[in-house]
Amino acid sequence: MNPGSRMPESSPPSSTDPSADPSILAARTVLGEADIARALTRIAHEIVERNKGAADLLLLGIPTRGVQLARRLAERLAEIEPAFNGEYGTLDVTMYRDDLRRQPTRAVGQTVLPGSLDGTIDDKVVVLVDDVLFSGRTIRAALDALNDLGRPRVVQLAALVDRGHRELPIRADYVGKNLPTSRSERVRVRLADVDGGVDAVVISAASTTPASMTPASTGESGGAR
Amino acid sequence: MKHLLTTQGLSKGDAILLLDTSAQMAATQSRENKKLPTLRGRTVVNLFYEDSTRTRISFETAAKRLSADVINFSAKGSSVSKGESLKDTALTLHAMGADAVVVRHSASGAAHQLAHAGWLDAGVLNAGDGMHQHPTQALLDAFTIRRHLVGNVGEDGRGTDTSAGADLSGLRVAIVGDVLHSRVARSNVYLLHTLGAEVTLVAPPTLVPVGVETWPCRVSYHLDETLEQWQPDAVMMLRVQRERMSGGSGSFFPSPMEYSRKFGFDARRLAVLPDHSIVMHPGPMNRGLEISAAAADHPRSVIVEQVANGVAVRMAALYLLLAGTDAAGTDERNTL
Amino acid sequence: MSTPTSATYVLRGVRPYGTDPVDVVLADGVIAAIGASGTVEVPEAVTGDVTGDVIEVRAEGHVLLPGLVDLHTHLREPGREDAETVFSGTRAAAAGGFTAVHAMANTTPTQDTAGVVEQVYRLGQEAGWVDVHPVGAVTVGLGGEKLAELGAMADSAARVRVFSDDGKCVHDPVLMRRALEYVKAFDGVVAQHAQEPRLTEGAQMNEGVVSAQIGLTGWPAVAEESIIARDVLLAEHVGSRLHVCHLSTAGSVEIIRWAKGRGIDVTAEVTPHHLVLTDDLARDYDPVFKVNPPLRTAKDVEAVRAGLADGTIDIVATDHAPHPVEDKDCEWSSAAFGMTGLETALSVVQQTMVDTGRMTWADVARVLSENPARIGRITESQGRPIAVGEPANLTLVDPSAARTIDGRSQVTASDNTPFAGMELPGRVVATFLRGRATVLDGAVVDGAVVDGAATDGKTLEGVTR
């Protein structure tokens, strides 16, 4: 096991001041705190609009940052649609990934469904929430994980950032920002409630990646994610 | 983690990771579809030199729930005493491309040798070697203790496991019986200590090994005194092998009746314990010898749950052994 | 390399017993001359044999010792020629600096009759590397029930004086008493493998902290000490000579010290491996460290070193126990007991006793040559002083050399050395058996015409394999 790479809480704590991290000296912030807030609010409205309300709506965040984004979306949805109870869940996809053998062992996260569901997602309108949509492989794993939990009526996808370079026929239904990138660049989402500091989406050259960081622990998108 | 051979030297972080992963595995096992695709295409060999249908089935179930291919290789009855067969079998498994070998063997150290003698490069999971270690049994015991005495997870296993990340600090565990010959006791003493629990071994002096003084635990020769004065949170009864009671050098105590009287666990002794305490046994039980039927079937007995948790713990061990890249996943601390 | 039987050797600058350098001339099987370093002329005419070569050995600084004598060697032949033969084992002995070995009785068939001991004796003579003195079994088939024909073995051509059931303990006290008494008639000695059998049923390693952790059945020190205590008292009672094989515990040293203080005629041996290795080595379950008696604790190692230094322990004997790969490349509990020792013994003694300042080279000569020859009653030819006219059974060792041990490159037919990969000090440069070099320039001298005149005047050819 590689202790530095498996646990979410083992991510580097230095992110309050991005400039202190030498790996992102060449980084530029493409979304700031306010941009992210506005994007989430817009997505919340789009979800309600697309689904004609929030009936049977189930937000499932994909760890780590997707869970916090799902929580924020749930808060906004509860404001927009008083009928919505503000609940959200967590969908861990680790055991469904297709790159397990290419990575150091990943810790298995929790899958938690809102208590009101009584353990079933049958006939729900599931909105998967992730921070960065890249190759589409994480979402593929999420669809498999979902399949083992039940049979939703429809599954939709919300992503804060879509950086392109899809490797599977998967698209997002709700996108905070489409971000043209080169494949070698890294896109990082930093959320105050996960990483400390202020919310930001940062893009940087991949060559500066510290060896100790892996996509699983830093909320970036790179590699086969 | 390349191998899981012993709990001695297992770091606290790794132990908790194993327990946390077990909790996630347990959560998946309450679903209608219990099968996960995680280890598809991986081959797990159950190499059992000793009869143990229960342990083998537990490992087999765990591997199959993770979609691994399982090959059961029962070496019992072959020329184990010639020794060479372990090496030859290992070479055979290597040639067959086994990714992990779950080994049960009557010789202490057999799993260690399989992992380190250079006979094969698969991950090795010790399912019990002689009188040495049985790490997944200790892990499932610790997991059971944590769920009951730390976590308060609902009966159905759904909902948040509040024990995630927790250790067992402050808990008292009494391990009672044939410590001398017990790999379960050895594995538990080290794991429970690593997790912060206090352990007292309770046995007649004949069933305590010379050299026990270096183990991170206390030793008592008196069960009643330990239960009354020490008030353990969990009592783990060990199986007494029938052959230890026979005459000659095997006679470790005067009679089964005397053993039962002094070291058997029954309803009367259960009543001495705190209300939250639990009763454990790795099985198979000798009812009426080391544990009475009333104690074994008591609501505070978690013996059946231990069996169920065994599958989750073994899923976790297989996952952590097989799911990552081998090179990056190697942790020498676990290959002790 | 050809070494005619009549070669004359001039050893330049050697240090007998580690003392001041001298030149030593070996000719006609004896030490022909000893003179101040650089002063001895090459003695063209010493042998008076016109075919004789004169070989000069530049050996400045090397220590000259009387040829080493091992009281405890397993040559495995007859029976286990896959592990060792008399030829390969004695060749290894020569490489280790030995000029005589006592071949233990646990062969198949057992060395419990005059016929078998004579066979082993003859095989030793044919091989010609060292003198082979067979040890006779105390009981028939090492069965521990019935005395073997000790007298017949003593009277045989092998002239057996050391009797042992080594590998098994003569545990029946009555039988032990009878054996001790009986061998007095021919000045024999019973060499006891001290192991109480009931206390060591299924035993795998030293009983203690390590065995408790790694789950191997323990071999308690008391199983050795109780037998030694009993036997010294028996020896005192019947007035016999007793030799204790491979004692391994601090308690055993104490008992021997006590017995000697009481005037009991007991001698004791320690193996090289018990002088340096401990039971911690079992933790990786590598059966190369499985040996009987087992490796003990650091405290015991210190006790046997102290006992060897102060004379409580009389000798170092190898307990050279070769095993084929398949008997060691397996589970610990299935593996055979024993480790090779002939080629590493002197280095281990140097490392643990000489380089630490606890013993001199003269002490080494005492514990590895003089005392074992005395116990084995072979002092007519072995363990003799380094003096003019004495048989030229000599060992030349370079104490400043260091070598890394590799089992596969050992001369013995087996490679189960516990010192593999370790660097040990000292190297045997040359070994002379009655003036003939069996080892020269650090290598065994193969292809030589065997010195058939060695002991029985019969010339044997073509037996070097």
Side-chain angles (χ1 to χ4, degrees), chain A residues 1 6 94-96 100-103 106 108-110 148-149, chain B residues 1 14 17 24-25 33 36 38 42 319 323-325 329 331:
Chain A
M1 275 181 265
R6 72 169 89 91
T94 309
M95 288 191 284
Y96 298 85
L100 286 172
R101 291 166 74 167
R102 296 158 170 257
Q103 304 278 343
R106 294 163 181 264
V108 179
Q110 290 192 16
D148 280 358
L149 290 175
Chain B
M1 202 189 309
D14 286 345
L17 175 67
Q24 305 313 328
M25 296 296 177
N33 180 359
L36 297 157
T38 316
R42 305 287 244 171
Y319 172 80
T325 51
D331 182 344

PDB file of all heavy atoms in Angstrom, chain A residues 1 6 94-96 100-103 106 108-110 148-149, chain B residues 1 14 17 24-25 33 36 38 42 319 323-325 329 331:
ATOM      1  N   MET A   1       0.836  -1.204   0.000  1.00  0.00           N
ATOM      2  CA  MET A   1       0.000   0.000   0.000  1.00  0.00           C
ATOM      3  C   MET A   1       0.860   1.238   0.000  1.00  0.00           C
ATOM      4  O   MET A   1       1.948   1.252   0.528  1.00  0.00           O
ATOM      5  CB  MET A   1      -0.877   0.018   1.238  1.00  0.00           C
ATOM      6  CG  MET A   1      -2.144  -0.750   1.054  1.00  0.00           C
ATOM      7  SD  MET A   1      -3.102  -0.648   2.540  1.00  0.00           S
ATOM      8  CE  MET A   1      -2.616  -2.127   3.326  1.00  0.00           C
ATOM      9  N   ARG A   6      -4.024   6.789  -0.709  1.00  0.00           N
ATOM     10  CA  ARG A   6      -5.268   6.052  -0.670  1.00  0.00           C
ATOM     11  C   ARG A   6      -6.393   6.772   0.048  1.00  0.00           C
ATOM     12  O   ARG A   6      -7.538   6.597  -0.268  1.00  0.00           O
ATOM     13  CB  ARG A   6      -5.049   4.704  -0.018  1.00  0.00           C
ATOM     14  CG  ARG A   6      -4.827   4.751   1.479  1.00  0.00           C
ATOM     15  CD  ARG A   6      -4.891   3.346   2.007  1.00  0.00           C
ATOM     16  NE  ARG A   6      -3.582   2.734   1.957  1.00  0.00           N
ATOM     17  CZ  ARG A   6      -2.724   2.798   2.977  1.00  0.00           C
ATOM     18  NH1 ARG A   6      -3.032   3.429   4.086  1.00  0.00           N
ATOM     19  NH2 ARG A   6      -1.557   2.224   2.890  1.00  0.00           N
ATOM     20  N   THR A  94     -15.285   3.199  -6.815  1.00  0.00           N
ATOM     21  CA  THR A  94     -13.935   2.617  -6.817  1.00  0.00           C
ATOM     22  C   THR A  94     -13.927   1.184  -7.327  1.00  0.00           C
ATOM     23  O   THR A  94     -13.115   0.806  -8.158  1.00  0.00           O
ATOM     24  CB  THR A  94     -13.354   2.645  -5.388  1.00  0.00           C
ATOM     25  OG1 THR A  94     -13.488   3.957  -4.872  1.00  0.00           O
ATOM     26  CG2 THR A  94     -11.899   2.232  -5.388  1.00  0.00           C
ATOM     27  N   MET A  95     -14.852   0.377  -6.817  1.00  0.00           N
ATOM     28  CA  MET A  95     -14.795  -1.042  -7.148  1.00  0.00           C
ATOM     29  C   MET A  95     -15.303  -1.335  -8.560  1.00  0.00           C
ATOM     30  O   MET A  95     -15.297  -2.478  -8.996  1.00  0.00           O
ATOM     31  CB  MET A  95     -15.566  -1.842  -6.103  1.00  0.00           C
ATOM     32  CG  MET A  95     -14.809  -1.874  -4.781  1.00  0.00           C
ATOM     33  SD  MET A  95     -15.480  -3.049  -3.608  1.00  0.00           S
ATOM     34  CE  MET A  95     -16.917  -2.191  -3.040  1.00  0.00           C
ATOM     35  N   TYR A  96     -15.710  -0.285  -9.255  1.00  0.00           N
ATOM     36  CA  TYR A  96     -16.186  -0.462 -10.635  1.00  0.00           C
ATOM     37  C   TYR A  96     -15.224   0.129 -11.647  1.00  0.00           C
ATOM     38  O   TYR A  96     -15.497   0.118 -12.834  1.00  0.00           O
ATOM     39  CB  TYR A  96     -17.574   0.172 -10.784  1.00  0.00           C
ATOM     40  CG  TYR A  96     -18.607  -0.483  -9.901  1.00  0.00           C
ATOM     41  CD1 TYR A  96     -18.764  -0.093  -8.578  1.00  0.00           C
ATOM     42  CD2 TYR A  96     -19.403  -1.521 -10.388  1.00  0.00           C
ATOM     43  CE1 TYR A  96     -19.695  -0.700  -7.760  1.00  0.00           C
ATOM     44  CE2 TYR A  96     -20.341  -2.137  -9.569  1.00  0.00           C
ATOM     45  CZ  TYR A  96     -20.491  -1.729  -8.259  1.00  0.00           C
ATOM     46  OH  TYR A  96     -21.411  -2.346  -7.459  1.00  0.00           O
ATOM     47  N   LEU A 100      -8.092  -0.047 -12.029  1.00  0.00           N
ATOM     48  CA  LEU A 100      -7.601  -0.414 -10.702  1.00  0.00           C
ATOM     49  C   LEU A 100      -6.182  -0.965 -10.763  1.00  0.00           C
ATOM     50  O   LEU A 100      -5.365  -0.708  -9.893  1.00  0.00           O
ATOM     51  CB  LEU A 100      -8.530  -1.449 -10.057  1.00  0.00           C
ATOM     52  CG  LEU A 100      -9.869  -0.908  -9.554  1.00  0.00           C
ATOM     53  CD1 LEU A 100     -10.766  -2.048  -9.125  1.00  0.00           C
ATOM     54  CD2 LEU A 100      -9.653   0.064  -8.411  1.00  0.00           C
ATOM     55  N   ARG A 101      -5.936  -1.739 -11.811  1.00  0.00           N
ATOM     56  CA  ARG A 101      -4.631  -2.389 -11.868  1.00  0.00           C
ATOM     57  C   ARG A 101      -3.547  -1.456 -12.386  1.00  0.00           C
ATOM     58  O   ARG A 101      -2.396  -1.833 -12.469  1.00  0.00           O
ATOM     59  CB  ARG A 101      -4.721  -3.633 -12.745  1.00  0.00           C
ATOM     60  CG  ARG A 101      -5.566  -4.704 -12.079  1.00  0.00           C
ATOM     61  CD  ARG A 101      -5.951  -5.796 -13.022  1.00  0.00           C
ATOM     62  NE  ARG A 101      -4.820  -6.673 -13.307  1.00  0.00           N
ATOM     63  CZ  ARG A 101      -4.957  -7.847 -13.915  1.00  0.00           C
ATOM     64  NH1 ARG A 101      -6.147  -8.274 -14.269  1.00  0.00           N
ATOM     65  NH2 ARG A 101      -3.910  -8.584 -14.164  1.00  0.00           N
ATOM     66  N   ARG A 102      -3.944  -0.224 -12.782  1.00  0.00           N
ATOM     67  CA  ARG A 102      -2.943   0.729 -13.247  1.00  0.00           C
ATOM     68  C   ARG A 102      -2.556   1.720 -12.169  1.00  0.00           C
ATOM     69  O   ARG A 102      -1.727   2.594 -12.393  1.00  0.00           O
ATOM     70  CB  ARG A 102      -3.509   1.518 -14.439  1.00  0.00           C
ATOM     71  CG  ARG A 102      -3.798   0.648 -15.646  1.00  0.00           C
ATOM     72  CD  ARG A 102      -4.827   1.354 -16.536  1.00  0.00           C
ATOM     73  NE  ARG A 102      -4.953   0.669 -17.818  1.00  0.00           N
ATOM     74  CZ  ARG A 102      -4.393   1.124 -18.934  1.00  0.00           C
ATOM     75  NH1 ARG A 102      -3.702   2.228 -18.931  1.00  0.00           N
ATOM     76  NH2 ARG A 102      -4.540   0.454 -20.049  1.00  0.00           N
ATOM     77  N   GLN A 103      -3.198   1.635 -11.032  1.00  0.00           N
ATOM     78  CA  GLN A 103      -3.013   2.641  -9.982  1.00  0.00           C
ATOM     79  C   GLN A 103      -2.611   1.944  -8.689  1.00  0.00           C
ATOM     80  O   GLN A 103      -2.920   0.784  -8.488  1.00  0.00           O
ATOM     81  CB  GLN A 103      -4.341   3.371  -9.716  1.00  0.00           C
ATOM     82  CG  GLN A 103      -4.961   4.025 -10.920  1.00  0.00           C
ATOM     83  CD  GLN A 103      -4.355   5.380 -11.204  1.00  0.00           C
ATOM     84  OE1 GLN A 103      -3.712   5.962 -10.346  1.00  0.00           O
ATOM     85  NE2 GLN A 103      -4.550   5.863 -12.416  1.00  0.00           N
ATOM     86  N   ARG A 106      -6.545   1.864  -4.293  1.00  0.00           N
ATOM     87  CA  ARG A 106      -7.393   2.963  -3.854  1.00  0.00           C
ATOM     88  C   ARG A 106      -8.239   2.513  -2.678  1.00  0.00           C
ATOM     89  O   ARG A 106      -8.704   1.378  -2.640  1.00  0.00           O
ATOM     90  CB  ARG A 106      -8.359   3.372  -4.973  1.00  0.00           C
ATOM     91  CG  ARG A 106      -7.698   3.971  -6.188  1.00  0.00           C
ATOM     92  CD  ARG A 106      -8.686   3.942  -7.339  1.00  0.00           C
ATOM     93  NE  ARG A 106      -8.103   4.498  -8.559  1.00  0.00           N
ATOM     94  CZ  ARG A 106      -8.264   5.753  -8.942  1.00  0.00           C
ATOM     95  NH1 ARG A 106      -8.973   6.586  -8.224  1.00  0.00           N
ATOM     96  NH2 ARG A 106      -7.708   6.188 -10.062  1.00  0.00           N
ATOM     97  N   VAL A 108     -11.558   2.121  -0.739  1.00  0.00           N
ATOM     98  CA  VAL A 108     -12.958   2.041  -1.140  1.00  0.00           C
ATOM     99  C   VAL A 108     -13.740   3.052  -0.316  1.00  0.00           C
ATOM    100  O   VAL A 108     -13.625   3.091   0.900  1.00  0.00           O
ATOM    101  CB  VAL A 108     -13.509   0.624  -0.890  1.00  0.00           C
ATOM    102  CG1 VAL A 108     -14.979   0.551  -1.277  1.00  0.00           C
ATOM    103  CG2 VAL A 108     -12.699  -0.392  -1.661  1.00  0.00           C
ATOM    104  N   GLY A 109     -14.498   3.883  -1.005  1.00  0.00           N
ATOM    105  CA  GLY A 109     -15.298   4.873  -0.277  1.00  0.00           C
ATOM    106  C   GLY A 109     -16.678   4.327   0.063  1.00  0.00           C
ATOM    107  O   GLY A 109     -17.025   3.196  -0.276  1.00  0.00           O
ATOM    108  N   GLN A 110     -17.450   5.162   0.715  1.00  0.00           N
ATOM    109  CA  GLN A 110     -18.796   4.744   1.095  1.00  0.00           C
ATOM    110  C   GLN A 110     -19.803   5.100   0.011  1.00  0.00           C
ATOM    111  O   GLN A 110     -19.693   6.129  -0.631  1.00  0.00           O
ATOM    112  CB  GLN A 110     -19.234   5.466   2.367  1.00  0.00           C
ATOM    113  CG  GLN A 110     -18.501   5.018   3.598  1.00  0.00           C
ATOM    114  CD  GLN A 110     -19.156   5.549   4.855  1.00  0.00           C
ATOM    115  OE1 GLN A 110     -20.292   6.001   4.828  1.00  0.00           O
ATOM    116  NE2 GLN A 110     -18.440   5.492   5.946  1.00  0.00           N
ATOM    117  N   ASP A 148     -25.993  -1.738  -9.973  1.00  0.00           N
ATOM    118  CA  ASP A 148     -26.043  -2.717  -8.893  1.00  0.00           C
ATOM    119  C   ASP A 148     -26.941  -2.270  -7.744  1.00  0.00           C
ATOM    120  O   ASP A 148     -27.269  -3.073  -6.873  1.00  0.00           O
ATOM    121  CB  ASP A 148     -24.627  -2.981  -8.351  1.00  0.00           C
ATOM    122  CG  ASP A 148     -23.870  -3.948  -9.244  1.00  0.00           C
ATOM    123  OD1 ASP A 148     -24.463  -4.431 -10.232  1.00  0.00           O
ATOM    124  OD2 ASP A 148     -22.689  -4.218  -8.957  1.00  0.00           O
ATOM    125  N   LEU A 149     -27.288  -0.992  -7.731  1.00  0.00           N
ATOM    126  CA  LEU A 149     -28.124  -0.496  -6.645  1.00  0.00           C
ATOM    127  C   LEU A 149     -29.610  -0.568  -6.975  1.00  0.00           C
ATOM    128  O   LEU A 149     -30.453  -0.521  -6.087  1.00  0.00           O
ATOM    129  CB  LEU A 149     -27.770   0.953  -6.315  1.00  0.00           C
ATOM    130  CG  LEU A 149     -26.403   1.180  -5.650  1.00  0.00           C
ATOM    131  CD1 LEU A 149     -26.139   2.670  -5.505  1.00  0.00           C
ATOM    132  CD2 LEU A 149     -26.342   0.494  -4.300  1.00  0.00           C
TER     133      LEU A 149
ATOM    134  N   MET B   1      -0.538  -3.356  -0.650  1.00  0.00           N
ATOM    135  CA  MET B   1      -0.295  -4.549   0.156  1.00  0.00           C
ATOM    136  C   MET B   1      -0.083  -5.729  -0.770  1.00  0.00           C
ATOM    137  O   MET B   1      -0.919  -6.026  -1.609  1.00  0.00           O
ATOM    138  CB  MET B   1      -1.519  -4.809   1.051  1.00  0.00           C
ATOM    139  CG  MET B   1      -1.192  -5.657   2.254  1.00  0.00           C
ATOM    140  SD  MET B   1      -2.643  -6.193   3.174  1.00  0.00           S
ATOM    141  CE  MET B   1      -3.519  -4.689   3.421  1.00  0.00           C
ATOM    142  N   ASP B  14      -2.864   0.640   8.366  1.00  0.00           N
ATOM    143  CA  ASP B  14      -3.279  -0.448   7.484  1.00  0.00           C
ATOM    144  C   ASP B  14      -4.390  -1.280   8.116  1.00  0.00           C
ATOM    145  O   ASP B  14      -5.303  -1.738   7.426  1.00  0.00           O
ATOM    146  CB  ASP B  14      -2.086  -1.334   7.137  1.00  0.00           C
ATOM    147  CG  ASP B  14      -1.149  -0.654   6.141  1.00  0.00           C
ATOM    148  OD1 ASP B  14      -1.570   0.352   5.535  1.00  0.00           O
ATOM    149  OD2 ASP B  14      -0.015  -1.119   5.973  1.00  0.00           O
ATOM    150  N   LEU B  17      -7.483   0.677   7.730  1.00  0.00           N
ATOM    151  CA  LEU B  17      -7.889   0.635   6.320  1.00  0.00           C
ATOM    152  C   LEU B  17      -8.575  -0.690   6.000  1.00  0.00           C
ATOM    153  O   LEU B  17      -9.601  -0.732   5.306  1.00  0.00           O
ATOM    154  CB  LEU B  17      -6.666   0.820   5.415  1.00  0.00           C
ATOM    155  CG  LEU B  17      -6.939   0.671   3.916  1.00  0.00           C
ATOM    156  CD1 LEU B  17      -7.833   1.805   3.415  1.00  0.00           C
ATOM    157  CD2 LEU B  17      -5.648   0.627   3.118  1.00  0.00           C
ATOM    158  N   GLN B  24     -17.123  -1.237   4.005  1.00  0.00           N
ATOM    159  CA  GLN B  24     -17.716  -0.947   2.698  1.00  0.00           C
ATOM    160  C   GLN B  24     -18.147  -2.231   1.999  1.00  0.00           C
ATOM    161  O   GLN B  24     -19.189  -2.285   1.340  1.00  0.00           O
ATOM    162  CB  GLN B  24     -16.727  -0.175   1.819  1.00  0.00           C
ATOM    163  CG  GLN B  24     -16.195   1.109   2.443  1.00  0.00           C
ATOM    164  CD  GLN B  24     -17.281   1.959   3.057  1.00  0.00           C
ATOM    165  OE1 GLN B  24     -18.415   1.974   2.586  1.00  0.00           O
ATOM    166  NE2 GLN B  24     -16.954   2.668   4.128  1.00  0.00           N
ATOM    167  N   MET B  25     -17.321  -3.253   2.134  1.00  0.00           N
ATOM    168  CA  MET B  25     -17.678  -4.535   1.528  1.00  0.00           C
ATOM    169  C   MET B  25     -18.946  -5.085   2.180  1.00  0.00           C
ATOM    170  O   MET B  25     -19.835  -5.604   1.499  1.00  0.00           O
ATOM    171  CB  MET B  25     -16.528  -5.540   1.695  1.00  0.00           C
ATOM    172  CG  MET B  25     -15.253  -5.147   0.967  1.00  0.00           C
ATOM    173  SD  MET B  25     -15.478  -5.089  -0.832  1.00  0.00           S
ATOM    174  CE  MET B  25     -13.858  -4.517  -1.351  1.00  0.00           C
ATOM    175  N   ASN B  33     -28.119  -7.537  -5.374  1.00  0.00           N
ATOM    176  CA  ASN B  33     -27.022  -8.016  -6.200  1.00  0.00           C
ATOM    177  C   ASN B  33     -25.725  -7.852  -5.402  1.00  0.00           C
ATOM    178  O   ASN B  33     -25.237  -6.752  -5.233  1.00  0.00           O
ATOM    179  CB  ASN B  33     -26.965  -7.217  -7.503  1.00  0.00           C
ATOM    180  CG  ASN B  33     -25.830  -7.685  -8.392  1.00  0.00           C
ATOM    181  OD1 ASN B  33     -25.079  -8.594  -8.033  1.00  0.00           O
ATOM    182  ND2 ASN B  33     -25.698  -7.056  -9.542  1.00  0.00           N
ATOM    183  N   LEU B  36     -19.719  -7.787  -7.158  1.00  0.00           N
ATOM    184  CA  LEU B  36     -19.022  -6.601  -7.653  1.00  0.00           C
ATOM    185  C   LEU B  36     -18.060  -7.016  -8.758  1.00  0.00           C
ATOM    186  O   LEU B  36     -17.523  -8.115  -8.719  1.00  0.00           O
ATOM    187  CB  LEU B  36     -18.226  -5.952  -6.513  1.00  0.00           C
ATOM    188  CG  LEU B  36     -19.086  -5.440  -5.350  1.00  0.00           C
ATOM    189  CD1 LEU B  36     -18.265  -5.340  -4.085  1.00  0.00           C
ATOM    190  CD2 LEU B  36     -19.682  -4.092  -5.717  1.00  0.00           C
ATOM    191  N   THR B  38     -15.149  -5.976  -9.361  1.00  0.00           N
ATOM    192  CA  THR B  38     -13.832  -5.420  -9.056  1.00  0.00           C
ATOM    193  C   THR B  38     -12.644  -6.278  -9.483  1.00  0.00           C
ATOM    194  O   THR B  38     -11.661  -5.777 -10.002  1.00  0.00           O
ATOM    195  CB  THR B  38     -13.737  -5.159  -7.543  1.00  0.00           C
ATOM    196  OG1 THR B  38     -14.955  -4.550  -7.141  1.00  0.00           O
ATOM    197  CG2 THR B  38     -12.579  -4.268  -7.209  1.00  0.00           C
ATOM    198  N   ARG B  42      -9.125 -11.724 -12.465  1.00  0.00           N
ATOM    199  CA  ARG B  42      -8.071 -12.116 -11.528  1.00  0.00           C
ATOM    200  C   ARG B  42      -8.352 -13.537 -11.050  1.00  0.00           C
ATOM    201  O   ARG B  42      -9.507 -13.941 -10.921  1.00  0.00           O
ATOM    202  CB  ARG B  42      -8.047 -11.175 -10.326  1.00  0.00           C
ATOM    203  CG  ARG B  42      -7.907  -9.726 -10.726  1.00  0.00           C
ATOM    204  CD  ARG B  42      -6.527  -9.414 -11.215  1.00  0.00           C
ATOM    205  NE  ARG B  42      -5.864  -8.467 -10.337  1.00  0.00           N
ATOM    206  CZ  ARG B  42      -4.589  -8.138 -10.432  1.00  0.00           C
ATOM    207  NH1 ARG B  42      -3.837  -8.690 -11.352  1.00  0.00           N
ATOM    208  NH2 ARG B  42      -4.057  -7.263  -9.617  1.00  0.00           N
ATOM    209  N   TYR B 319      -9.338  -7.454  -1.955  1.00  0.00           N
ATOM    210  CA  TYR B 319      -9.336  -6.192  -2.694  1.00  0.00           C
ATOM    211  C   TYR B 319      -8.002  -5.474  -2.531  1.00  0.00           C
ATOM    212  O   TYR B 319      -7.379  -5.050  -3.501  1.00  0.00           O
ATOM    213  CB  TYR B 319     -10.487  -5.298  -2.218  1.00  0.00           C
ATOM    214  CG  TYR B 319     -10.413  -3.908  -2.813  1.00  0.00           C
ATOM    215  CD1 TYR B 319     -10.867  -3.673  -4.115  1.00  0.00           C
ATOM    216  CD2 TYR B 319      -9.847  -2.853  -2.116  1.00  0.00           C
ATOM    217  CE1 TYR B 319     -10.763  -2.424  -4.683  1.00  0.00           C
ATOM    218  CE2 TYR B 319      -9.744  -1.601  -2.671  1.00  0.00           C
ATOM    219  CZ  TYR B 319     -10.202  -1.381  -3.959  1.00  0.00           C
ATOM    220  OH  TYR B 319     -10.080  -0.146  -4.519  1.00  0.00           O
ATOM    221  N   ALA B 323      -6.227  -5.244  -6.006  1.00  0.00           N
ATOM    222  CA  ALA B 323      -6.847  -4.212  -6.826  1.00  0.00           C
ATOM    223  C   ALA B 323      -5.846  -3.209  -7.371  1.00  0.00           C
ATOM    224  O   ALA B 323      -6.106  -2.582  -8.382  1.00  0.00           O
ATOM    225  CB  ALA B 323      -7.927  -3.487  -6.029  1.00  0.00           C
ATOM    226  N   GLY B 324      -4.719  -3.033  -6.716  1.00  0.00           N
ATOM    227  CA  GLY B 324      -3.782  -2.015  -7.185  1.00  0.00           C
ATOM    228  C   GLY B 324      -2.684  -2.606  -8.035  1.00  0.00           C
ATOM    229  O   GLY B 324      -2.619  -3.800  -8.258  1.00  0.00           O
ATOM    230  N   THR B 325      -1.834  -1.709  -8.525  1.00  0.00           N
ATOM    231  CA  THR B 325      -0.648  -2.201  -9.206  1.00  0.00           C
ATOM    232  C   THR B 325       0.217  -2.881  -8.175  1.00  0.00           C
ATOM    233  O   THR B 325       0.343  -2.421  -7.043  1.00  0.00           O
ATOM    234  CB  THR B 325       0.151  -1.047  -9.825  1.00  0.00           C
ATOM    235  OG1 THR B 325       0.352  -0.075  -8.805  1.00  0.00           O
ATOM    236  CG2 THR B 325      -0.572  -0.431 -10.978  1.00  0.00           C
ATOM    237  N   GLY B 329       1.847  -0.998  -4.943  1.00  0.00           N
ATOM    238  CA  GLY B 329       1.066  -1.395  -3.783  1.00  0.00           C
ATOM    239  C   GLY B 329       1.855  -2.171  -2.741  1.00  0.00           C
ATOM    240  O   GLY B 329       1.328  -2.496  -1.705  1.00  0.00           O
ATOM    241  N   ASP B 331       3.842  -3.061   0.292  1.00  0.00           N
ATOM    242  CA  ASP B 331       4.166  -2.444   1.577  1.00  0.00           C
ATOM    243  C   ASP B 331       4.911  -3.478   2.392  1.00  0.00           C
ATOM    244  O   ASP B 331       4.358  -4.463   2.834  1.00  0.00           O
ATOM    245  CB  ASP B 331       2.891  -2.026   2.303  1.00  0.00           C
ATOM    246  CG  ASP B 331       3.215  -1.336   3.615  1.00  0.00           C
ATOM    247  OD1 ASP B 331       4.367  -1.459   4.072  1.00  0.00           O
ATOM    248  OD2 ASP B 331       2.317  -0.691   4.158  1.00  0.00           O
TER     249      ASP B 331
END
